[in-house]
Amino acid sequence: QVQLVESGGGLVQPGGSLRLSCAASGNIFSINAMDWYRQTPGKQRELVARSSSGGNTYYADSVKGRFTISRDNAKNTVYLQMNSLKPEDTAVYYCNAQIQIRFRSDYALHWGQGTQVTVSS
């Protein structure tokens, strides 16, 4: 089985920074894209940033220039560095990853459990 575990969330003042981590573990053969999403109550989960296996990245307009996604393929881990945080960044942040399990040819999407980020003074 595969497990994704996020960490790094918490309470931070506006203008502050946080670094989220998401580590994938289990019977992993290969990982394709790794994403960060966020969700607030009553709203759909939205894509914040994406890191492809080839090194390409994508950012939502709302976080461009403030957030940076990176990954350590040796550790099967993706990070989200969040700077200049705003109250509207408050949400539960989830990571997901397209993972190929050993001895299988297909990729499946796996989600972490989420980590709360609260930006408030």
Side-chain angles (χ1 to χ4, degrees), residues 3 5 12 29 34-35 40 45 47 66 71 73 77 90-91 106 110:
Q3 190 176 21
V5 178
V12 63
F29 179 74
M34 301 185 82
D35 301 339
T40 54
R45 198 171 290 189
L47 177 63
R66 300 187 298 122
R71 60 195 283 177
N73 291 325
T77 299
T90 296
D106 61 324
H110 297 267

Side-chain angles (χ1 to χ4, degrees), residues 3 8-9 11 19 21 29 31 40 42 45 52-53 73 78 83 94 101 107 112 115-116:
Q3 190 176 21
L11 173 64
R19 187 192 194 209
S21 300
F29 179 74
I31 300 179
T40 54
R45 198 171 290 189
S52 74
S53 59
N73 291 325
V78 64
N83 298 329
Y94 299 88
I101 297 174
Y107 284 83
T115 185
Q116 176 71 46

